[in-house]
Amino acid sequence: MDQAAKGAAALNSKDFSTAVSHYTDAINVNSQAVDYYIKRSTAYTRTSPPDYDAALSDAEIALNLASNRGKRELIIQAQLRRAIALFSLERYGDAEACFDWVKEMNKDEKSLQIWGMKLDNKLKTLSEDDEKAKVTVKRLPSVQVPPQKQKNTDTPKESTEPANAFLEKSEEFNKLSKLDGVQTPVNKIRHEWYQTQDTVVVSLFAKGIPKDKATIDIQPRSLAISFPLATGSDYDFSLDPLHGKIDPTTSEAKVMGTKVDFILKKTTTGEMWPTLESTEPINDSKDEKGDDSKEVKRAVLADLTTQSGPLYPTSSKSGPKNWDKLADDLTKKKKQKDGEEGGDDGLDDFEGGDPVNGLFQQLYSRADPDTKRAMMKSYQESNGTALSTNWGEVGKGKVETQPPDGMEAKPW
């Protein structure tokens, strides 16, 4: 059994110190074997105590060797070992950059989700200026790669050509980092989001956004950012309108090496957004005070009561209701006896003494905010042909006009 095979057996049996020894012997025989460095890097991170610096060195050598050969799978494995070593050294910003490069090449890498969660837990406790959060690494590191041994023993001269080739490629690759602007191609810039009971977090993935040249604007129902690209043009990103309202005074944006995080504080704690953006136009006055909707309220409470006979569409699971009949039944339940005061259900106390009108006013006045919003929106958008109390249904989109059977809706 050769030294590499012995190293693999030791690694599988969790004898990590022995694995390091065998892979070292194997590298002495073949210093260009990418897999030997990757496996020794893995063993270094698991020895007791672990040697994370040695693990990082092996991973970076492996990355250069794999890049020179154009071996995609080996590049991914080496970059992943590099990211894990950097994480273990508490260089979280550098680790995040390397994990992102792995994700670019293989978004289905199984370990990325676990490491992503670990990394997020570390980064969220750090300030923007913390050294641990800074990104100092380049995609292809500048490291001295061991030269390949010469087979001809008569010419012991050591060849430096492979090492120089790697260094030249590394320097050429890293020139991108000196450009003034974001290095991520426009078609690769993307965003993701998630939410908690009181916060919405939007992440915009783009490398090298300059903090001093990025323009960020956070408003109650929108956010926007603009920053320069390496091509000289600007990249603009905006979400307008957001699904719900946020508090700009407590919301913030964090520009990091590989992304920007927008931490948006909801004004309504516990409200879960079904989508990040809303498809409806903003009407803040409607949400805040409702003064401009008084006319619609009157229409809901008055115009509907003028209809007699037709059964309108409803959100009730039991089917459409005959509101006239329901109002008559309610008024009959508590008829005043001769000489008694009070005793009615308050229906005749509403304007005009119309019991149906009183019924709708009672329904509206006793409803919760979502039910009121559903009644107002459904009646207004359906041109008075529908009245719903189910905001979960009405809030999904526009309520279409639904005329009673035998009637036809015509535009005014």
Side-chain angles (χ1 to χ4, degrees):
M1 183 182 293
D2 61 17
Q3 295 299 321
K6 291 179 180 178
L11 195 61
N12 289 333
S13 62
K14 303 185 185 304
D15 187 357
F16 303 118
S17 295
T18 301
V20 168
S21 178
H22 286 308
Y23 277 117
T24 299
D25 291 339
I27 289 171
N28 288 335
V29 176
N30 182 2
S31 62
Q32 306 297 300
V34 181
D35 186 62
Y36 296 173
Y37 292 99
I38 293 175
K39 296 294 176 54
R40 191 171 70 170
S41 176
T42 302
Y44 272 131
T45 60
R46 299 175 183 176
T47 55
S48 183
D51 190 343
Y52 296 127
D53 288 313
L56 176 61
S57 176
D58 273 359
E60 292 188 334
I61 291 173
L63 182 57
N64 273 276
L65 288 170
S67 298
N68 188 60
R69 297 180 183 182
K71 298 290 186 179
R72 183 181 181 86
E73 287 302 319
L74 293 176
I75 292 173
I76 293 171
Q77 292 179 41
Q79 194 74 269
L80 181 61
R81 297 313 312 176
R82 184 189 186 199
I84 292 172
L86 288 167
F87 178 90
S88 302
L89 291 168
E90 298 186 352
R91 292 168 58 180
Y92 302 122
D94 288 338
E96 182 183 36
C98 292
F99 280 125
D100 284 343
W101 289 325
V102 172
K103 189 174 183 179
E104 278 185 16
M105 299 188 72
N106 182 14
K107 64 180 180 179
D108 297 323
E109 168 59 45
K110 295 179 180 179
S111 62
L112 285 177
Q113 184 175 6
I114 295 175
W115 283 108
M117 293 173 61
K118 290 182 178 181
L119 193 60
D120 286 342
N121 288 334
K122 296 292 185 182
L123 287 173
K124 69 182 181 182
T125 63
L126 305 178
S127 65
E128 293 183 22
D129 299 328
D130 196 304
E131 290 295 324
K132 295 179 181 179
K134 292 184 178 179
V135 178
T136 61
V137 294
K138 303 294 189 295
R139 187 165 189 153
L140 188 65
S142 299
V143 295
Q144 184 70 40
V145 177
Q148 188 170 5
K149 292 185 178 181
Q150 299 296 313
K151 294 182 179 180
N152 188 351
T153 56
D154 295 333
T155 55
K157 182 180 179 182
E158 192 176 83
S159 173
T160 59
E161 184 177 349
N164 291 337
F166 291 133
L167 289 175
E168 288 174 5
K169 185 172 183 179
S170 174
E171 290 172 2
E172 181 180 354
F173 189 90
N174 292 329
K175 284 179 182 178
L176 288 173
S177 63
K178 299 178 182 179
L179 296 176
D180 185 17
V182 176
Q183 304 310 307
T184 304
V186 173
N187 62 346
K188 294 291 183 68
I189 297 177
R190 72 186 196 285
H191 73 279
E192 297 176 0
W193 75 288
Y194 67 90
Q195 64 179 317
T196 63
Q197 292 291 323
D198 59 359
T199 305
V200 174
V201 178
V202 181
S203 296
L204 181 67
F205 294 92
K207 298 184 184 69
I209 297 178
K211 293 183 181 180
D212 57 336
K213 295 183 179 180
T215 303
I216 298 172
D217 182 35
I218 300 178
Q219 297 296 329
R221 288 293 300 276
S222 67
L223 68 85
I225 182 173
S226 177
F227 48 81
L229 298 168
T231 59
S233 59
D234 288 342
Y235 182 84
D236 298 311
F237 172 80
S238 64
L239 296 172
D240 185 11
L242 295 169
H243 180 81
K245 294 188 66 176
I246 61 173
D247 183 358
T249 60
T250 55
S251 299
E252 59 178 328
K254 291 185 177 181
V255 181
M256 292 174 277
T258 59
K259 65 177 179 177
V260 180
D261 277 342
F262 298 91
I263 297 91
L264 312 176
K265 297 296 182 180
K266 298 177 182 177
T267 57
T268 305
T269 301
E271 179 187 7
M272 302 306 288
W273 297 6
T275 58
L276 179 57
E277 292 184 88
S278 174
T279 57
E280 299 181 14
I282 296 176
N283 190 348
D284 290 335
S285 60
K286 176 181 175 182
D287 292 336
E288 293 175 358
K289 296 182 180 180
D291 292 340
D292 63 343
S293 63
K294 287 183 178 179
E295 279 188 36
V296 182
K297 289 181 182 178
R298 292 195 193 97
V300 171
L301 301 177
D303 286 358
L304 280 178
T305 64
T306 64
Q307 305 293 333
S308 61
L311 302 181
Y312 289 101
T314 174
S315 61
S316 172
K317 294 181 180 179
S318 61
K321 297 181 182 297
N322 188 326
W323 295 102
D324 292 334
K325 183 177 182 303
L326 178 60
D328 290 340
D329 291 344
L330 287 173
T331 56
K332 290 175 182 177
K333 284 182 180 179
K334 293 190 176 182
K335 287 279 188 175
Q336 289 188 14
K337 296 181 180 179
D338 292 339
E340 288 185 355
E341 294 183 1
D344 64 16
D345 213 18
L347 295 176
D348 291 332
D349 291 338
F350 291 89
E351 54 181 317
D354 188 331
V356 178
N357 187 36
L359 169 64
F360 282 107
Q361 291 195 41
Q362 277 195 357
L363 285 175
Y364 187 89
S365 63
R366 295 175 182 176
D368 58 50
D370 279 347
T371 300
K372 290 181 178 179
R373 291 169 66 191
M375 293 175 70
M376 301 297 295
K377 185 173 183 292
S378 62
Y379 181 77
Q380 185 179 26
E381 292 183 352
S382 70
N383 297 310
T385 62
L387 179 63
S388 175
T389 58
N390 185 350
W391 178 249
E393 176 185 342
V394 174
K396 293 179 180 178
K398 183 179 178 181
V399 180
E400 300 296 335
T401 301
Q402 304 175 48
D405 293 338
M407 300 182 69
E408 180 183 358
K410 292 184 178 182
W412 291 91

